[in-house]
């Protein structure tokens, strides 16, 4: 907790602006005492599974990427990439053909000059630096080519002044620009989200596209032919971006830069983890077991970490397509936070046909399908002999919990993120927030709290908002982030005591709610 | 404005630049619709020495931004453009007339070793749109106060007259913009009222009535004490901008002689009349001067049929100031001014000392002032009343606040949140510096409190604010 608060503190006791040095120990501990990082409920016991992510700040950290790109330029991987691309293209199309979300069902054929089109809550456009349309969330790219041309013109005009365009603000509407050469992403939003939140979402879309093609490939294509129509390569994969945008509106994990777990007794989870651990292979880097959108366990190669963005892209890939249910899938995937240059190859399959349990084995070798298939076999064989398998299947029946179990009156919902493990826990959405609309509204409230706490220059320790519809409290320490939603009847005194009570409850349940002992091969 | 950051002490010379005005221009896209005629669109451009093509380019960008934004919201125009280096604010006060203000983001210049040019880091999240958007609107209101609408100048003398007027007004006005000290108070653009007991208030009202009766030319009167308003006969919006002009421009320019003491050469001759301290702040400085000119600034205020043009007479005695407004169609003479001086001078002097006395008594009753544990800003949208214990005296050049600029910006952030919904709301935040900031919005009123109780918790902070509301605002905030 003490790592924070390093900004100069200023007192106006004597009406001066002189900075006052204060002893750290004088610092307040309200609303309730904090916990040292790494000891908060949900903190991992050994080393974490993920690359350490404080928050979305690291989304904007470009330095390491630039460095990686520089390294890439030195190696001639072109031929290999092109081969990879062919595989990629084919697989994407196959998925598309099998997928139940066909592009016909997308709201594509909209009149882009209609009020209905205009009034969508959030538009997302992707274009090339030549101004060629690559993706639009609503309407067809063809109909929007002139609009996208104007977008590109604005970007280049400001660039010509050695400046960078960030956003346009109008009443109740904003346009946010993100240039990620060779792509330009534009978001148009009628939500209350801050520019930073919208940029974070555009970053996700950017990484989604990179995960299909690799950045090296993208650069290569546009260096070769500036005018290239990238839709030719991405055809059939738009549903991934569509789906990701839906997730961004509804999944707290993408907001928190964290992942949530299937609640499971730690004894059972440990058995599953160690079964995965023994089913290893030479080129296997990550073994991920999912239950729907929840992580059951993740085993990784020593020293190799998975970034939460990459993991969310994997979640999105698996969750967006039903084709993996029909057998063993084998697909190239670039994990852009790991390496923007090359493809991994993912073996994706469900443990049982009708089960929610999906196993993803990530290998570095393109020819590794049969090895991975064998790994899965070994894992399933080993696991099926253990009682943990039954326990896990039982746990699947109630993959979440209700907020009533926590026993705090007036508390409707909460999000708790353990910073050191990158995992979060949250009860299911209560009755009041069951509809998509209400759920998105609640997420909007959380996003708002999040952007206040994580303001780039004026971050806050806590934020309490009392309105007609709900009372909200957000609190961040070096160990955790906590967001609570109360009914409007909840008082401030209740909110303060709720924090204590909730932290105690999470501590008591942490064995079940978090992965406390992640394994490596 | 350049400020040296405290980090400088560590050896590396790091320079911090506050936000500054990069350019300010006014254009009308309908004035040069054809290619090659773009320059005709530009009615005013500051700085004027910018090369013609660059002016055209910058106006072109604004037009493109406005046009582009219409693709998505045809009814709501673009208000600002954020870029890495600056922010541009757009305002269309009259059909097709656009005012654009470009403000450079604050930046830090970090020196590099080995003679490399310094690295410049732009601080992109420091400027609040609401604050500078309000500054642009204020620029227009001030122009309109002294010149009437753009449309009026167009009717009277076409583009030539309008450009002349814009040039004349903004050349000087822009020099008085102090962008680095703009804050939430600019968003409110409120009026500070002088607290007064009933008796004294009635005295002032009867004074105004008497003067208006004796000098029937007077159409409107406003009365201020200590830069705070007591009485006004103008419409609220007109008073708001007039108040801004008086307190940030006219009064500060004339305060020195009064502070200078009786025998100082700075003090203007009291016209041989020791019966009163009254003097004209606008118009003639010395009535006895045979060369004296009886010209007063003209202002435009709203009237039933659009606007009316008025002479603005500002007359001051000690800390009391009276503004008399007379229809511009009347020519003001020496006679009238002498009459006014003789009538108002002695009475205003007396009133000023009455108010002063009353004020001192009231202060004594309320007990010795000890430094409170909180500072606050209050604003009422209904009567524009504003009160701040955060701001020290606001002068023409600087607005001194007694809290850290970051805290002021947090207040601004909360204000933006409040503006989004129409409902009553309360927000309590704890800053990284452990200060608590509380914002309350209730029925058109907004209150912002900064508490210096670092060890307090949410409940204690709430209690503290409740106490403040009870003592200072008669419990007008009910939302708990």
């Amino acid at each position: 907790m003490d790592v924070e608060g390093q900004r100069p503190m200023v007192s106006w006791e004597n009406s001066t602006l002189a900075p006052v040095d204060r002893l750290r120990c004088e610092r307040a501990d309200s609303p309730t005492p904090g916990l040292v990082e790494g000891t908060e409920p949900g903190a991992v016991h050994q080393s974490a599974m993920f690359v350490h992510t404080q928050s979305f700040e690291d989304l904007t950290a470009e330095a390491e990427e630039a460095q990686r790109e520089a390294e890439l330029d030195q190696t001639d991987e072109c031929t290999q990439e092109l081969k990879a691309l062919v595989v990629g293209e084919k697989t994407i199309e196959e998925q598309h053909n099998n997928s139940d979300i066909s592009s016909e069902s997308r709201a594509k054929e909209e009149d882009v000059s209609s009020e209905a089109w205009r009034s969508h809550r959030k538009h997302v456009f992707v274009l090339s630096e030549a101004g060629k349309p690559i993706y639009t969330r609503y309407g067809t790219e063809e109909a929007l080519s002139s609009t996208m041309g104007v977008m590109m013109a604005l970007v280049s005009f400001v660039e010509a002044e050695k400046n960078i365009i960030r956003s346009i603000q109008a009443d109740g509407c904003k346009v946010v620009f993100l240039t990620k050469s060779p792509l330009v992403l534009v978001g148009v939003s009628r939500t209350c989200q801050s520019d930073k939140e919208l940029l974070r979402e555009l970053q996700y879309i950017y990484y989604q596209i990179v995960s299909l093609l690799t950045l090296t490939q993208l650069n290569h294509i546009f260096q070769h032919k500036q005018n290239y129509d990238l839709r030719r390569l991405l055809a059939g994969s738009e549903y991934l971006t569509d789906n990701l945008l839906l997730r961004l509106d509804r999944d707290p994990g993408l907001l928190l830069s964290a992942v949530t777990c299937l609640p499971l007794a730690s004894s059972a989870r440990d058995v599953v983890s160690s079964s995965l651990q023994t089913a290893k292979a030479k080129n296997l880097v990550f073994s991920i077991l999912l239950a729907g959108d929840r992580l059951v366990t993740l085993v990784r190669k020593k020293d190799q970490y998975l970034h939460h963005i990459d993991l969310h892209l994997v979640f999105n890939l698996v969750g967006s397509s039903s084709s993996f249910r029909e057998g063993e899938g084998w697909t190239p995937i670039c994990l852009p936070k790991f390496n923007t240059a090359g493809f991994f190859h993912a073996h994706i399959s469900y443990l049982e046909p009708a089960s929610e349990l999906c196993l993803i084995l990530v290998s570095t070798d393109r020819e590794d399908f049969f090895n991975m298939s064998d790994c899965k076999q070994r894992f399933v064989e080993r696991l099926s002999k253990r009682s943990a398998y039954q326990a896990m299947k039982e746990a699947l029946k109630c993959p979440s919990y209700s907020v009533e179990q926590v026993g705090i009156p007036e508390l409707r919902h909460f999000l708790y993120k353990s910073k050191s493990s990158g995992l979060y826990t949250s009860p299911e959405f209560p009755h009041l927030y069951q509809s998509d609309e209400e759920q998105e509204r609640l997420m909007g409230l959380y996003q708002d709290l999040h952007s206040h706490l994580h303001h780039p220059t004026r971050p806050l320790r806590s934020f309490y908002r009392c309105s007609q519809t709900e009372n909200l409290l957000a609190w961040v320490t070096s160990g955790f982030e906590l967001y609570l939603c109360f009914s409007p009847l909840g008082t401030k005194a209740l909110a303060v005591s709720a924090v204590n009570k909730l932290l105690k409850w999470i501590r008591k349940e942490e064995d079940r709610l978090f992965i406390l002992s992640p394994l490596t091969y | 404005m350049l400020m040296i950051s405290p980090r400088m002490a560590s050896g590396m010379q790091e320079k911090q630049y506050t936000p500054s005005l990069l350019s300010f221009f006014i254009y009308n896209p309908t004035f040069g619709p054809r290619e090659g005629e773009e320059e005709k669109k530009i009615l005013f451009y500051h700085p004027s020495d910018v090369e013609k093509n660059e002016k055209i380019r910058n106006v072109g960008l604004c037009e493109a931004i406005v046009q582009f934004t219409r693709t998505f919201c045809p009814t709501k125009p673009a208000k600002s453009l954020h870029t890495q280096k600056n922010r541009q604010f757009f305002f269309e006060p009259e059909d097709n007339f656009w005012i654009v203000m470009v403000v450079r983001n604050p930046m830090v210049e970090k020196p590099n070793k080995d003679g490399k040019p310094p690295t410049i880091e732009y601080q992109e999240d420091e400027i609040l749109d609401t604050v500078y958007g309000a500054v642009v609107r204020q620029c227009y209101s001030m122009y309109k106060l002294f010149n009437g609408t753009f449309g009026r100048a167009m009717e009277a003398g076409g583009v030539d007259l309008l450009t002349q007027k814009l040039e004349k007004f903004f050349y000087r006005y822009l020099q008085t913009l102090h962008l680095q000290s703009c804050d939430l108070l600019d968003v409110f653009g409120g009026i500070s009222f002088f607290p007064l007991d009933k008796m004294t208030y009635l005295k002032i009202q009867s004074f105004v009535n008497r003067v208006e009766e004796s000098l029937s030319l007077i159409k409107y009167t406003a009365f201020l004490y200590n830069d705070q308003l007591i009485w006004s006969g103008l419409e609220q919006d007109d008073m708001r901008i007039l108040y801004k002009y008086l307190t940030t421009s006219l009064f500060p320019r004339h305060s020195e002689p009064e502070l200078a003491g009786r025998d100082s050469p700075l003090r203007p001759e009291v016209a041989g009349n020791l019966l009163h301290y009254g003097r004209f702040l606008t118009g003639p400085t010395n009535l006895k001067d045979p060369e004296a000119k009886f010209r007063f600034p003209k202002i435009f205020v709203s009237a039933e049929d659009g606007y009316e043009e008025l002479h603005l007479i500002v007359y001051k005695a000690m800390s009391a100031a009276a503004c008399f407004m007379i229809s511009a169609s009347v020519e003001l003479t020496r006679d009238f001014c002498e009459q006014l001086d003789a009538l108002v001078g002695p009475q205003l002097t007396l009133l000023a000392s009455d108010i002063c006395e009353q004020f001192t008594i009231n202060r004594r009753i309320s007990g010795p002032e000890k430094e409170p544990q909180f500072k606050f800003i209050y604003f009422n949208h209904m009567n524009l009343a504003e009160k701040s214990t955060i701001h020290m005296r606001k002068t023409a050049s600087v607005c001194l606040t007694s809290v850290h600029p970051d805290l002021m910006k947090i207040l601004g952030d909360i204000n933006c949140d409040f503006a989004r919904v129409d409902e009553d709301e309360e927000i309590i935040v704890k800053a990284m510096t452990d200060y608590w900031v509380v914002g309350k919005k209730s029925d058109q009123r907004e209150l912002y409190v900064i508490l210096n109780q670092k060890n307090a918790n949410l409940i204690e902070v709430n209690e503290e604010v409740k106490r403040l509301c009870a003592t200072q605002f008669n419990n007008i905030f009910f939302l708990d």
Side-chain angles (χ1 to χ4, degrees):
Chain A
M1 186 156 179
D2 277 349
V3 276
E4 293 164 350
Q6 286 170 346
R7 292 152 66 86
M9 282 185 266
V10 163
S11 149
W12 36 250
E13 276 154 327
N14 303 312
S15 296
T16 62
L17 290 171
V20 176
D21 281 326
R22 276 178 184 278
L23 289 171
R24 280 281 146 66
C25 60
E26 276 183 28
R27 285 223 0 266
D29 279 334
S30 55
T32 57
L35 295 146
V36 178
E37 182 175 359
T39 64
E40 78 274 9
V44 283
H45 293 161
Q46 291 114 38
S47 63
M49 288 174 285
F50 304 128
V51 178
H52 265 237
T53 54
Q54 288 309 313
S55 163
F56 62 69
E57 284 82 41
D58 68 339
L59 270 166
T60 43
E62 313 267 289
E64 44 161 0
E65 244 170 70
Q67 193 190 343
R68 249 183 232 149
E69 280 166 37
E71 284 164 16
L72 280 166
D73 287 339
Q74 294 161 2
T75 51
D76 180 29
E77 292 179 310
C78 264
T79 40
Q80 202 191 330
E81 280 151 26
L82 279 171
K83 264 189 252 161
L85 184 70
V86 175
V87 179
E89 206 171 351
K90 207 163 80 197
T91 324
I92 291 162
E93 264 168 54
E94 274 163 19
Q95 283 164 22
H96 164 60
N97 292 337
N98 296 331
S99 129
D100 48 0
I101 319 159
S102 66
S103 62
E104 275 77 32
S105 73
R106 297 178 71 213
K108 276 289 190 186
E109 304 300 328
E110 270 182 78
D111 177 5
V112 298
S113 57
S114 68
E115 187 53 38
W117 180 82
R118 243 184 251 129
S119 50
H120 283 297
R121 269 177 83 245
K122 203 182 288 170
H123 285 275
V124 171
F125 306 94
V126 183
L127 40 146
S128 73
E129 282 177 323
K132 276 236 176 195
I134 295 171
Y135 171 82
T136 173
R137 189 179 190 182
Y138 304 107
T140 59
E141 288 83 11
E142 290 81 6
L144 287 162
S145 62
S146 69
T147 305
M148 297 212 208
V150 175
M151 289 171 179
M152 196 54 231
L154 292 175
V155 170
S156 357
F157 188 95
V158 176
E159 226 165 55
E161 314 265 291
K162 297 198 168 49
N163 200 348
I164 307 165
I165 191 167
R166 302 287 195 210
S167 67
I168 301 170
Q169 316 276 329
D171 265 328
C173 178
K174 61 174 80 178
V175 186
V176 181
F177 295 84
L178 176 69
T179 28
K180 286 285 222 176
S181 183
L183 303 182
V184 174
L185 298 98
V186 182
V188 179
S189 163
R190 291 175 188 281
T191 65
C192 295
Q193 279 172 291
S194 66
D195 290 13
K196 281 274 168 323
E197 294 286 335
L198 292 167
L199 278 177
R200 186 178 57 81
E201 301 190 354
L202 291 182
Q203 299 259 15
Y204 265 110
I205 302 304
Y206 166 75
Y207 286 125
Q208 173 62 55
I209 292 170
V210 171
S211 85
L212 292 168
L213 297 172
T214 75
L215 184 60
T216 317
Q217 190 58 49
L218 259 182
N219 283 331
H220 182 80
I221 290 167
F222 285 106
Q223 271 160 20
H224 231 70
K225 198 175 166 210
Q226 232 195 345
N227 238 342
Y228 189 80
D229 184 356
L230 198 66
R231 283 180 305 159
R232 276 164 50 191
L233 280 179
L234 294 175
S237 71
E238 296 92 342
Y239 71 97
L240 286 174
T241 311
D242 291 347
N243 241 345
L244 185 60
L245 282 165
L246 278 181
R247 275 167 188 265
L248 284 163
D249 284 338
R250 294 184 195 155
D251 185 345
L254 290 104
L255 171 70
L256 296 174
S257 305
V259 183
T260 193
C261 310
L262 176 77
L264 183 65
S266 60
S267 53
R269 199 188 308 271
D270 289 347
V271 171
V272 178
S273 301
S274 62
S275 306
L276 258 189
Q277 186 189 29
T278 40
K280 61 182 171 185
K282 189 170 130 249
N283 296 318
L284 183 61
V285 195
F286 301 110
S287 311
I288 307 160
L289 186 62
L290 289 185
D293 279 345
R294 293 163 180 275
L295 190 63
V296 180
T297 187
L298 187 156
V299 183
R300 58 181 176 82
K301 212 175 195 124
K302 230 180 185 153
D303 305 323
Q304 305 295 348
Y305 293 90
L306 195 54
H307 193 280
H308 64 90
I309 290 181
D310 290 340
L311 193 53
H312 277 296
L313 292 176
V314 172
F315 279 31
N316 188 46
L317 174 69
V318 173
S320 304
S321 172
S322 61
S323 62
F324 300 117
R325 291 207 163 268
E326 287 162 18
E328 294 167 71
W330 182 242
T331 180
I333 181 170
C334 167
L335 299 174
K337 275 294 182 181
F338 191 93
N339 180 1
T340 53
F343 281 112
F344 282 105
H345 300 270
H347 179 277
I348 302 172
S349 62
Y350 285 82
L351 294 193
E352 289 171 25
S355 163
E356 279 294 286
L357 292 166
C358 180
L359 180 67
I360 301 141
L361 300 168
V362 180
S363 162
T364 50
D365 186 357
R366 197 154 54 91
E367 311 293 341
D368 231 9
F369 175 84
F370 293 105
N371 286 334
M372 291 302 111
S373 189
D374 178 50
C375 283
K376 183 204 169 181
Q377 247 14 76
R378 274 160 37 216
F379 167 67
V380 173
E381 269 164 33
R382 194 183 178 96
L383 184 64
S384 53
K385 289 181 203 139
R386 310 288 299 262
S387 61
Y389 192 40
Q390 269 316 312
M392 185 162 66
K393 284 194 199 162
E394 275 309 303
L396 277 175
K397 288 178 187 159
C398 48
S400 187
Y401 53 93
S402 81
V403 71
E404 278 82 22
Q405 279 174 261
V406 185
I408 297 170
E410 309 301 337
L411 181 65
R412 286 179 178 173
H413 194 250
F414 69 86
L415 306 175
Y416 169 89
K417 175 190 169 184
S418 147
K419 279 187 174 177
S420 63
S421 67
L423 297 170
Y424 80 95
T425 185
S426 167
E428 60 202 11
F429 284 103
H431 214 69
L432 218 54
Y433 302 101
Q434 278 297 330
S435 71
D436 286 350
E437 212 171 78
E438 278 302 299
Q439 204 173 317
E440 281 178 18
R441 196 178 68 81
L442 180 60
M443 274 302 293
L445 294 170
Y446 283 140
Q447 283 165 349
D448 201 41
L449 294 173
H450 187 269
S451 63
H452 275 289
L453 289 183
H454 297 276
H455 191 283
T457 58
R458 302 182 285 282
L460 301 171
R461 284 189 200 287
S462 67
F463 189 102
Y464 181 82
R465 158 181 270 144
C466 175
S467 74
Q468 312 279 11
T469 44
E470 45 266 297
N471 292 345
L472 300 154
L473 172 64
W475 188 32
V476 58
T477 71
S478 67
F480 64 83
E481 284 175 34
L482 184 56
Y483 304 82
L484 303 140
C485 171
F486 296 93
S487 90
L489 298 174
T491 61
K492 292 169 187 103
L494 180 86
V496 171
S497 69
V499 169
N500 283 316
K501 206 166 167 194
L502 181 60
L503 287 177
K504 272 196 197 124
W505 184 84
I506 295 171
R507 172 65 87 197
K508 190 169 80 73
E509 300 286 323
E510 66 174 349
D511 278 359
R512 231 165 44 82
L513 300 178
F514 295 94
I515 302 173
L516 299 178
S517 19
L519 297 177
T520 56
Y521 304 123
Chain B
M1 193 176 134
L2 171 76
M3 275 160 55
I4 305 294
S5 90
R7 262 172 291 177
M8 196 194 118
S10 63
M12 289 291 263
Q13 292 263 329
E14 202 169 84
K15 284 188 212 153
Q16 165 87 45
Y17 295 87
T18 56
S20 63
L21 184 69
L22 273 186
S23 58
F24 186 101
F25 45 93
I26 300 168
Y27 69 90
N28 186 325
T30 61
F31 288 180
R34 265 173 301 213
E35 232 177 288
E37 287 183 345
E38 288 88 350
E39 203 185 1
K40 291 187 181 162
K41 294 175 186 173
I42 306 170
L43 301 167
F44 173 78
Y45 203 105
H46 163 89
S48 54
D49 56 359
V50 169
E51 199 243 325
K52 182 181 123 189
N53 283 330
E54 198 189 325
K55 288 181 187 173
I56 291 173
R57 253 206 327 275
N58 290 338
V59 167
L61 174 65
C62 297
E63 282 188 79
I65 295 285
V66 167
Q67 200 55 41
F68 169 70
T69 311
R70 287 206 177 113
T71 326
F72 296 97
C73 24
T75 51
K76 305 266 177 66
K79 287 167 82 180
S80 70
L81 168 69
H82 296 194
T83 68
Q84 180 200 25
K85 294 182 180 174
N86 59 51
R87 287 208 186 170
Q88 318 201 354
F89 299 91
F90 314 112
F91 178 45
E92 185 187 19
E94 296 171 36
D95 278 353
N96 290 317
F97 286 96
W98 287 87
I99 304 182
V100 181
M101 179 170 82
V102 186
V103 181
R104 198 203 52 215
N105 280 325
M107 55 185 198
V108 183
E109 197 183 88
K110 289 177 177 162
N112 276 323
K113 284 175 191 153
D114 317 323
K116 272 188 253 167
T119 323
I120 289 173
E121 229 172 66
Y122 290 90
Q123 298 171 323
E124 297 185 45
D125 298 291
E126 292 299 325
I127 288 182
L128 291 175
D129 273 12
T130 45
V131 170
Y132 292 93
V135 170
V136 180
R137 288 196 299 278
Q138 214 170 61
C139 286
Y140 172 72
S141 298
M142 201 61 93
Y143 170 87
K144 203 175 73 169
L145 179 70
F146 290 105
N147 298 282
T149 58
F150 295 159
R152 181 185 167 272
M154 286 298 294
E155 276 168 35
V159 180
D160 289 342
L161 181 68
L162 178 60
T163 49
Q164 258 173 46
K165 278 182 174 290
L166 292 173
E167 194 67 46
K168 192 169 161 231
F169 177 80
F170 282 109
Y171 173 72
R172 280 190 51 198
Y173 186 71
L174 292 180
Q175 294 173 9
T176 67
L177 282 185
H178 294 275
L179 296 184
Q180 73 279 5
S181 56
C182 293
D183 62 28
L184 187 57
L185 282 195
D186 293 281
V187 177
F188 293 145
I191 296 171
S192 172
F193 286 93
F194 189 79
L196 209 57
D197 64 301
K198 275 206 187 77
M199 263 319 286
T200 324
Y201 184 77
L202 285 174
K203 272 189 201 169
I204 291 164
Q205 209 171 22
S206 83
F207 160 77
V208 171
N209 288 340
R210 252 177 296 142
V211 176
E212 285 187 355
E213 204 164 299
S214 325
L215 302 167
S216 55
L217 282 178
I218 295 171
K219 247 188 138 167
Y220 307 104
T221 309
F223 193 104
L224 295 93
Y225 185 86
N226 229 356
D227 288 7
Q228 289 174 298
L229 188 67
I230 294 178
W231 204 90
S232 155
L234 284 177
E235 289 282 337
Q236 227 169 49
D237 272 338
D238 292 324
M239 192 59 229
R240 165 190 249 175
I241 193 70
L242 180 62
Y243 178 81
K244 173 87 188 167
Y245 164 70
L246 294 172
T247 53
T248 60
S249 174
L250 187 70
F251 292 161
R253 267 188 279 141
H254 288 87
S255 62
E256 291 80 12
E258 276 164 12
L259 297 174
R262 201 170 271 237
D263 302 321
S264 153
L266 257 176
R267 193 178 175 80
E269 211 180 315
V270 196
N273 185 355
L274 286 173
L275 289 174
H276 68 81
Y277 293 108
R279 65 197 172 97
F280 287 94
L281 294 195
T282 59
T285 41
N286 186 353
L287 280 178
K288 292 284 181 295
D289 182 355
E291 300 285 297
K293 293 267 193 317
F294 296 92
R295 273 211 303 269
F296 292 89
K298 294 207 181 88
I299 60 168
F300 292 78
V301 301
S302 50
E304 272 164 28
D305 52 343
Y307 53 82
E308 59 181 324
E309 195 175 354
L310 302 165
H311 293 288
L312 174 66
I313 301 173
V314 183
Y315 190 89
K316 201 173 180 193
M318 301 196 283
S319 292
C323 306
F324 303 108
M325 283 147 274
I326 294 166
S327 172
S329 54
V330 181
E331 196 169 328
L332 295 178
T333 60
R334 175 185 293 270
D335 257 7
F336 177 81
C337 292
E338 280 172 354
Q339 218 183 327
L340 189 140
D341 184 56
L343 177 72
V344 175
Q347 291 192 49
L348 195 60
T349 309
L350 207 65
L351 264 182
S353 61
D354 271 7
I355 300 170
C356 178
E357 199 176 314
Q358 204 53 49
F359 182 58
T360 338
I361 292 170
N362 284 347
R363 239 210 328 226
R364 216 175 294 139
I365 293 167
S366 65
E369 267 189 44
K370 61 169 197 269
E371 184 71 15
Q373 281 296 296
F374 53 79
K375 307 232 167 191
F376 70 85
I377 294 182
Y378 166 82
F379 180 68
N380 184 339
H381 289 270
M382 280 179 292
N383 63 0
L384 305 182
E386 109 190 339
K387 191 170 177 184
S388 166
T389 62
I390 289 172
H391 295 77
M392 270 94 95
R393 205 175 185 80
K394 200 163 180 172
T395 66
S397 57
V398 273
C399 165
L400 283 173
T401 61
S402 50
V403 300
H404 192 273
D406 275 355
L407 282 174
M408 281 311 293
K409 283 173 196 154
I410 291 175
L411 296 190
D413 292 337
I414 296 176
N415 169 258
C416 290
D417 276 8
F418 285 163
R420 287 202 311 231
V421 277
D422 233 0
E423 297 164 0
D424 291 358
E425 265 194 307
E426 179 177 14
I427 290 176
I428 303 177
V429 311
K430 192 181 196 198
M432 279 300 170
T433 47
D434 284 329
Y435 280 94
W436 286 90
V437 180
V438 181
K440 270 169 179 277
K441 183 175 106 172
S442 169
D443 192 25
Q444 306 281 320
R445 297 179 181 87
E446 290 180 34
L447 173 69
Y448 300 87
V449 188
I450 300 176
L451 287 141
N452 185 17
Q453 288 166 330
K454 309 200 166 186
N455 295 312
N457 67 23
L458 191 64
I459 303 166
E460 289 155 352
V461 166
N462 191 46
E463 288 304 314
E464 193 62 40
V465 175
K466 261 191 193 163
R467 264 200 296 282
L468 168 74
C469 288
T471 54
Q472 300 265 347
F473 301 102
N474 281 322
N475 285 317
I476 48 178
F477 291 98
F478 298 114
L479 193 75
D480 190 23

